[in-house]
Amino acid sequence: MHRPAQRQRQRLTRVLVGAAAVPVILFASACSGDDSGSDGDKKDAGAAESSASASGGADGSADKPAEVEKAAFGKLPEPCDALSEKTLGDLVPAAKNKSGKAGTSNDVSTRGNCTWDSLDNNGVDGSQFRWLRVSLNRFESDQSLGAGAKRAQTNFTKQVTDAQAAKDAKGVKTTPVQGVGDQATLVSYDVKKDKDTFKQQTLVARLENAVVTVDYNGAGLAGDDSPDASSLAKDAQKAAKEAVAAVADANKAGGAEGPATDGKDSKAPKDPKASEDPKDSEGSKDSGEGSGAAPGNDAQG
């Protein structure tokens, strides 16, 4: 008689115990869900912060572009004054115009050139011809175009390449030169003009943000012997080294801040208001770039 009642109480006990366990499971599940949500929120927040940092800040503003390095040189010497009288006497001994012929330029503060020609006429014994040109180029640092020294290096490479590809050049030889600026290269070749062989020497040198190019050639005319190419090369190196030193000297007092004030009167630019045209600066004809023109062309004009 007591067994049915006892079984009923046992079943009721099991139901109550099971019912009590359900909230515990639900609570544990709820806690687990909250923890997962917190981790997800943290990841999303971390990603947002990383994105904000990458864009320059929490407000999404971009970082300012880095400033380009200031150019070392702020001026150029007069091209016709870049070589000493002694050097000119050695390279163009019979030059009629010892002061040289200045090339045209729309901005003499960034580029210019000067030429000399010499004809030592020995009558029936023939003649010795020499032609010399010194070209100077300076490159400003520009936020969009880059640092002046880097732009000068690009121009240096271009001029060497142009000299190597000179029209009608024969036996082109390229030689690195030490001790002239930061880097220098000599390009030598022969070229014929009116049955005469001209020995061409083009030396391109870079110092900081300036590029100096010396074009020097010689020929024996009217049956005279051709000059020695190695001697011409040494003379071209001598002239280039002197011209590079003239660029450095012109900037000793003023540098990139402005014209030098070394106590000597400096010649004022023909067009002080002229601005630098990047295209002209890096490939201008009036600066003597693109060496390899027919020998003596400028001298004949």
Side-chain angles (χ1 to χ4, degrees):
M1 293 296 292
H2 296 284
R3 288 180 180 176
Q6 186 176 2
R7 290 194 188 102
Q8 186 175 2
R9 284 197 300 271
Q10 289 175 349
R11 285 198 296 269
L12 180 60
T13 300
R14 291 194 193 100
V15 171
L16 292 175
V17 171
V22 171
V24 174
I25 295 172
L26 293 177
F27 178 76
S29 299
C31 290
S32 176
D34 289 342
D35 288 342
S36 299
S38 297
D39 289 342
D41 291 342
K42 289 177 182 179
K43 290 178 181 178
D44 292 341
E49 289 175 1
S50 298
S51 176
S53 297
S55 62
D59 58 356
S61 60
D63 291 335
K64 293 182 179 179
E67 293 291 334
V68 296
E69 183 180 359
K70 195 171 187 179
F73 298 144
K75 63 179 297 187
L76 291 174
E78 290 289 339
C80 292
D81 295 336
L83 302 181
S84 66
E85 291 184 6
K86 183 180 184 307
T87 297
L88 290 173
D90 292 338
L91 272 63
V92 283
K96 293 181 179 179
N97 184 4
K98 293 293 185 181
S99 60
K101 179 182 178 182
T104 59
S105 174
N106 61 1
D107 187 358
V108 295
S109 70
T110 59
R111 56 189 172 272
N113 67 75
C114 190
T115 60
W116 297 262
D117 65 283
S118 169
L119 181 62
D120 186 6
N121 192 339
N122 297 311
V124 295
D125 294 328
S127 304
Q128 284 293 320
F129 175 78
R130 299 290 185 273
W131 183 80
L132 172 67
R133 176 173 63 190
V134 174
S135 304
L136 308 177
N137 288 269
R138 183 180 64 83
F139 296 87
E140 296 278 8
S141 290
D142 184 274
Q143 192 68 42
S144 60
L145 298 175
K150 185 176 181 181
R151 296 178 64 201
Q153 190 166 28
T154 299
N155 179 262
F156 168 88
T157 302
K158 178 183 181 298
Q159 291 204 47
V160 171
T161 301
D162 287 348
Q164 293 169 327
K167 185 179 179 181
D168 299 326
K170 302 295 183 182
V172 178
K173 182 180 179 181
T174 303
T175 308
V177 177
Q178 303 298 324
V180 182
D182 295 326
Q183 59 183 144
T185 298
L186 175 69
V187 180
S188 307
Y189 56 85
D190 293 348
V191 60
K192 275 196 171 184
K193 181 181 179 183
D194 299 331
K195 297 182 180 180
D196 294 310
T197 299
F198 289 78
K199 303 287 185 178
Q200 173 71 30
Q201 311 294 324
T202 297
L203 197 152
V204 186
R206 180 188 68 84
L207 181 65
E208 297 286 357
N209 60 310
V211 178
V212 172
T213 305
V214 171
D215 287 297
Y216 186 50
N217 64 64
L221 307 180
D224 204 351
D225 294 335
S226 294
D228 180 60
S230 61
S231 295
L232 294 178
K234 289 180 181 178
D235 287 339
Q237 291 182 45
K238 177 182 178 181
K241 191 170 185 178
E242 200 167 297
V244 166
V247 173
D249 289 343
N251 288 272
K252 278 185 177 179
E257 299 298 329
T261 55
D262 55 2
K264 297 180 181 180
D265 293 334
S266 58
K267 297 180 182 179
K270 295 178 182 178
D271 186 7
K273 295 182 180 180
S275 59
E276 180 186 9
D277 183 338
K279 293 182 180 179
D280 289 342
S281 300
E282 302 193 20
S284 62
K285 293 180 180 179
D286 59 13
S287 62
E289 296 181 22
S291 304
N297 272 2
D298 291 354
Q300 304 300 325

